[in-house]
Amino acid sequence: MNETPQISIVIPAYNEANRILRTLQTLREYLNQSSLVTEVIVVNDSSTDRTAAIVEEFSAQWQSLRLIHNPQNRGKGYGVRNGALHSKGDIIFFTDADLSAPITEMPKLIDPILERNFDITFGSRAIDRSLIGIHQSRFRETSGRIFNFFVQLLIGLPFKDTQCGFKAFRRQTSLPVFERQTIMDFGFDPELLYVAQRRGLRLLEVPVKWNHVEGTTVRFLTDSVKMIIDLFRIRWNDLTGKYR
């Protein structure tokens, strides 16, 4: 790639060999129709399957794609942070490897930043649930609502869904947010949004289409408890000045 990318698409990946090729093919087909100059960064979180090999093979035929490696299995939040800090684009766009939010929804997040109206935009499943095609189980959806209640209660974020893996960041204003990130597992999303809000960045929650895809690496009960604990960590970090 000779031109400096406008958009860096970051995909954290751990043991995604069963779907990463299909995801990359979908991205390439969509991005080839766009006028935006993009790069795609897959961050391999020390996968034990062929994830890295598949990405390397595909990068031989797609110049916009590159693979970086976490030094060890560090978690999804570390992967997003590592990809963001290695990115070159004016906008850093993060999406899950399963494309549960279709990449065709990306302009909803990119355009408000390109128009310089917002610094961070993020997809939401909760603003308009009619946009959800395939739902999670009722238990998981209820648990998501409960977690969001704790997000609002414990750290005061006024949003309906912080956990959707579909977010965009203006590079110039958001790199300091990633540099202050301390949570490296699934609880990283509310931390990024909290730090951004504390720094006075302009945040926008955007309703997006979304479909549940089987194969998540979330250990539901264990990770849910850790995420609640992470909310207390965010408050403690703020009180002790770690976000300054």
Side-chain angles (χ1 to χ4, degrees):
M1 179 186 300
N2 297 320
E3 296 181 82
T4 301
Q6 297 166 281
I7 314 293
S8 296
I9 300 177
V10 175
I11 307 172
Y14 175 68
N15 288 350
E16 296 286 357
N18 290 333
R19 57 190 173 197
I20 193 66
L21 178 59
R22 182 170 63 253
T23 293
L24 295 175
Q25 290 170 334
T26 300
L27 286 174
R28 182 173 65 172
E29 181 179 354
Y30 175 77
L31 295 174
N32 282 346
Q33 300 172 11
S34 171
S35 61
L36 294 170
V37 180
T38 58
E39 66 170 350
V40 177
I41 303 171
V42 175
V43 185
N44 175 39
D45 195 23
S46 295
S47 299
T48 57
D49 63 6
R50 294 194 71 251
T51 297
I54 293 170
V55 176
E56 285 181 339
E57 291 165 6
F58 199 77
S59 67
Q61 55 179 290
W62 191 19
Q63 190 180 9
S64 298
L65 174 65
R66 58 190 173 111
L67 173 69
I68 64 175
H69 300 274
N70 291 341
Q72 58 191 39
N73 182 248
R74 297 292 300 272
K76 181 180 179 181
Y78 186 92
V80 172
R81 182 181 188 271
N82 197 14
L85 295 180
H86 281 85
S87 67
K88 301 175 182 176
D90 297 327
I91 296 176
I92 303 163
F93 183 85
F94 140 58
T95 183
D96 285 337
D98 60 11
L99 294 183
S100 49
I103 195 61
T104 51
E105 295 288 274
M106 186 173 72
K108 291 183 179 180
L109 274 60
I110 295 297
D111 289 348
I113 298 178
L114 289 175
E115 293 162 2
R116 309 197 71 81
N117 294 322
F118 293 92
D119 299 295
I120 297 176
T121 57
F122 52 101
S124 175
R125 299 159 292 189
I127 292 179
D128 184 356
R129 294 188 181 274
S130 70
L131 295 176
I132 299 177
I134 301 173
H135 285 256
Q136 301 178 87
S137 67
R138 183 167 295 183
F139 176 72
R140 282 180 177 266
E141 287 195 348
T142 300
S143 298
R145 290 187 176 99
I146 293 172
F147 177 73
N148 192 70
F149 168 78
F150 281 107
V151 169
Q152 295 181 358
L153 177 69
L154 297 176
I155 62 174
L157 288 179
F159 307 117
K160 296 181 179 296
D161 181 12
T162 61
Q163 299 309 112
C164 183
F166 207 66
K167 294 180 171 66
F169 305 82
R170 184 191 308 281
R171 177 186 182 81
Q172 183 178 10
T173 54
S174 297
L175 279 183
V177 176
F178 285 106
E179 290 167 352
R180 286 161 176 77
Q181 179 185 338
T182 66
I183 296 170
M184 301 303 169
D185 217 328
F186 292 104
F188 76 98
D189 298 85
E191 182 181 37
L192 289 178
L193 298 179
Y194 182 83
V195 175
Q197 186 178 70
R198 292 285 286 166
R199 294 181 63 84
L201 303 192
R202 299 164 297 171
L203 279 60
L204 176 67
E205 185 175 13
V206 181
V208 294
K209 296 178 181 178
W210 190 87
N211 292 285
H212 173 63
V213 180
E214 294 294 339
T216 178
T217 58
V218 177
R219 300 160 297 176
F220 188 71
L221 292 177
T222 302
D223 288 324
S224 295
V225 172
K226 287 175 62 178
M227 287 163 64
I228 295 293
I229 294 173
D230 285 340
L231 296 177
F232 287 98
R233 286 180 58 194
I234 292 168
R235 291 295 298 172
W236 178 251
N237 287 344
D238 192 21
L239 289 171
T240 55
K242 289 187 177 179
Y243 298 141
R244 292 175 191 163

